[in-house]
Amino acid sequence: MSLPVIRRAEQMQAPVHVSVAIVGAGACGLTAALMLSDAAVDCVVLERDALPSGSTAVSSGFVPAPCSRIQKAHGIEDSPQRFAQDIQAKAHGNAAPDLAVAYAAAIGPTLDALEAQHGLEFVLLDDFLYPGHSRHRMHAVPEKTGASLMARLQQAAATLDLPILTHAHVIELWLNAQDKVIGVAFERPDGSIETLGCDVLILSCNGFGGNPVLVQELLPEMKDAIYAGHTGNDGSAIAWGRALGARLADLGGYQGHGSWAIPQGALISWALMMEGAVQINALGQRFHNETQGYSEAAVHVLAQPESVAWNVFDEDLLRFARNFPDFCEAEAAGALKRCEDVMALSVLIGCNAEILGNTFNTITPGTQAPDGREFKRVLQKPFYAVKVTGALFHTQGGLDIDVNCHVLHEGGQPFDNLLAAGGAARGVSGNAVWGYLSGNGLLSAMAGGYIAARSAVNLLKALP
């Protein structure tokens, strides 16, 4: 495959010209395309893979949204302002403030529009709170997987016969001397190059988690971590931004996960930790406050001996875990181990039984551990354990954008007709792993796609 480049020209002799070209058919790109269809704007979505998937398909598929129709139906009092405050609290005040407010305000209408106008069905996960959220606002499609969310978005696009061109790896952005986008060039699997002209371009392509060189440069603490994200996240948006003189932001922000089952390679829901499970290292000890968040937990787990920990829980939590398809798949693959007592668990972990017993003695309701965790319950034998490591899921930094998803020059002024959202753009997690609030990835993708589509419509209206 060719490297992403910028090509300068005053005109482009492309066989097809569309109002809006969208690079990337993940949740961001498909949401944008569906919203453009609602506005009767023609677009083409260009996707490098044979089947649209992106980071969404390998995620849990959970989307945080205040004031959606379904959240209101559950009688939950929430607001975009409260959600934006939660975003900032998790990011220690380092999230882009205006963007956090814009996304928090847009995500509820986004889900409602997808439901009302395109037949998507969402359920509210109201039986537990994810770390950092002050209200039950996490949404999912009924299957509770990212792959199913993608499948439903694709079905909505197919119902409208929206043009999604697969096996189309965009490698060139064409701009004139005034930095106005005039089209793109994309590569086919046989190496042939095709072109497409456009009035507006939306980059919804990718982050850089799948690019080891960029990970080592920008996220050195994760250079040896397992990458559990989409391999197409090759950093094209970063490369184009650097070539264009666009401003980049929050390149140190990313979503890690401290609960990647090994060797099965499966995600174990962090909901178990929030409901009472603990992480034990090879020494038989807890080593962090598990309720602070699964993203920063990746760094904590990777710092343990052999970069390994064990998720430990009991029968009640096992029943709860089996509500999550990802967990069921991991269990079917052999990730779950049963231990009748502390001694058996110590043998499984390979640690000193007395040290492990002392660790369990500190897990009592109404007490607070030195790391600040307050325990809800006592874990009862038999115990269940899953061996995990820390993983990198997706990056949260990229092209700097304003609240309307316009890409910004280094000086801060927007490009005329270049928009970005999702993995291509900065998110709302600040510049470090601990800033990631559960669901921030799909928040940026879907709210960003919604806003970018609205901005594209406004740009087209302003054309002579």
Side-chain angles (χ1 to χ4, degrees):
M1 290 289 187
S2 302
L3 295 175
V5 299
I6 301 296
R7 187 178 294 275
R8 296 289 181 175
E10 289 307 308
Q11 293 184 344
M12 185 182 203
Q13 301 301 319
V16 177
H17 186 281
V18 294
S19 294
V20 182
I22 301 172
V23 181
C28 182
L30 291 182
T31 298
L34 291 167
M35 297 303 105
L36 288 170
S37 174
D38 293 343
V41 171
D42 63 299
C43 68
V44 169
V45 185
L46 300 166
E47 169 57 45
R48 63 181 290 169
D49 294 336
L51 183 69
S53 61
S55 297
T56 304
V58 296
S59 74
S60 295
F62 297 165
V63 189
C67 304
S68 69
R69 182 202 64 79
I70 190 168
Q71 192 199 40
K72 292 176 182 176
H74 279 71
I76 296 171
E77 182 185 350
D78 201 359
S79 69
Q81 293 78 17
R82 181 179 286 115
F83 184 23
Q85 289 168 3
D86 288 349
I87 291 170
Q88 282 294 3
K90 188 65 174 65
H92 300 183
N94 292 313
D98 293 342
L99 196 58
V101 170
Y103 281 176
I107 190 61
T110 301
L111 298 191
D112 287 350
L114 290 171
E115 181 184 60
Q117 293 153 219
H118 300 289
L120 272 78
E121 180 183 357
F122 292 100
V123 298
L124 188 73
L125 307 180
D126 62 349
D127 51 351
F128 61 93
L129 275 175
Y130 265 95
H133 287 280
S134 61
R135 296 291 187 274
H136 290 109
R137 60 171 73 103
M138 201 69 80
H139 297 65
V141 294
E143 300 86 356
K144 299 179 183 177
T145 67
S148 295
L149 173 59
M150 277 301 302
R152 287 173 178 259
L153 287 168
Q154 290 171 52
Q155 181 56 53
T159 298
L160 296 174
D161 201 26
L162 294 181
I164 301 174
L165 199 58
T166 58
H167 285 305
H169 181 198
V170 177
I171 57 172
E172 296 177 356
L173 305 189
W174 286 50
L175 291 87
N176 64 19
Q178 290 73 45
D179 278 340
K180 185 173 183 178
V181 178
I182 59 174
V184 298
F186 52 95
E187 187 176 25
R188 293 303 205 165
D190 64 2
S192 61
I193 305 296
E194 299 180 24
T195 56
L196 173 70
C198 63
D199 294 317
V200 178
L201 178 64
I202 299 175
L203 295 178
S204 60
C205 42
N206 53 39
F208 61 89
N211 185 322
V213 174
L214 283 177
V215 170
Q216 182 161 356
E217 174 193 346
L218 301 171
L219 308 174
E221 70 270 28
M222 298 302 284
K223 63 182 177 60
D224 297 322
I226 290 173
Y227 176 57
H230 181 56
T231 55
N233 288 327
D234 63 1
S236 296
I238 300 289
W240 283 321
R242 286 174 167 173
L244 280 171
R247 194 159 69 190
L248 304 173
D250 293 339
L251 296 181
Y254 63 96
Q255 185 211 345
H257 209 295
S259 190
W260 185 251
I262 51 174
Q264 292 79 17
L267 178 65
I268 306 298
S269 174
W270 205 250
L272 281 115
M273 297 297 152
M274 302 305 295
E275 292 300 301
V278 295
Q279 287 199 312
I280 306 292
N281 65 14
L283 303 177
Q285 300 169 326
R286 289 184 56 251
F287 51 91
H288 70 119
N289 182 347
E290 298 94 334
T291 63
Q292 289 300 300
Y294 55 73
S295 187
E296 55 265 55
V299 178
H300 294 309
V301 172
L302 290 170
Q304 302 312 301
E306 299 181 6
S307 299
V308 163
W310 292 83
N311 292 358
V312 179
F313 44 97
D314 59 14
E315 290 270 13
D316 287 344
L317 287 173
L318 175 60
R319 285 191 288 272
F320 173 69
R322 285 172 172 161
N323 291 313
F324 297 92
D326 290 342
F327 181 88
C328 295
E329 292 173 8
E331 182 180 2
L336 186 67
K337 308 298 180 186
R338 176 184 168 114
C339 299
E340 295 303 322
D341 51 27
V342 170
M343 180 62 72
L345 182 60
S346 72
V347 172
L348 174 67
I349 294 174
C351 66
N352 181 284
E354 183 177 356
I355 292 175
L356 182 61
N358 289 336
T359 296
F360 271 86
N361 289 337
T362 66
I363 303 171
T364 56
T367 64
Q368 187 177 84
D371 57 33
R373 178 165 184 180
E374 296 182 2
F375 296 103
K376 294 182 176 181
R377 60 199 308 280
V378 175
L379 295 178
Q380 305 285 344
K381 61 183 182 181
F383 303 112
Y384 294 87
V386 177
K387 188 178 183 180
V388 300
T389 189
L392 171 63
F393 268 46
H394 59 84
T395 54
Q396 286 282 289
L399 297 165
D400 196 6
I401 55 175
D402 64 16
V403 296
N404 295 310
C405 292
H406 292 274
V407 176
L408 303 176
H409 288 86
E410 282 284 5
Q413 70 274 30
F415 284 79
D416 283 347
N417 61 343
L418 179 60
L419 305 167
R426 76 183 306 179
V428 288
S429 300
N431 200 37
V433 63
W434 39 256
Y436 186 86
L437 180 67
S438 302
N440 267 4
L442 280 171
L443 166 68
S444 296
M446 300 182 75
Y450 178 92
I451 292 172
R454 185 175 61 196
S455 294
V457 171
N458 291 334
L459 286 171
L460 293 169
K461 288 178 179 177
L463 289 176

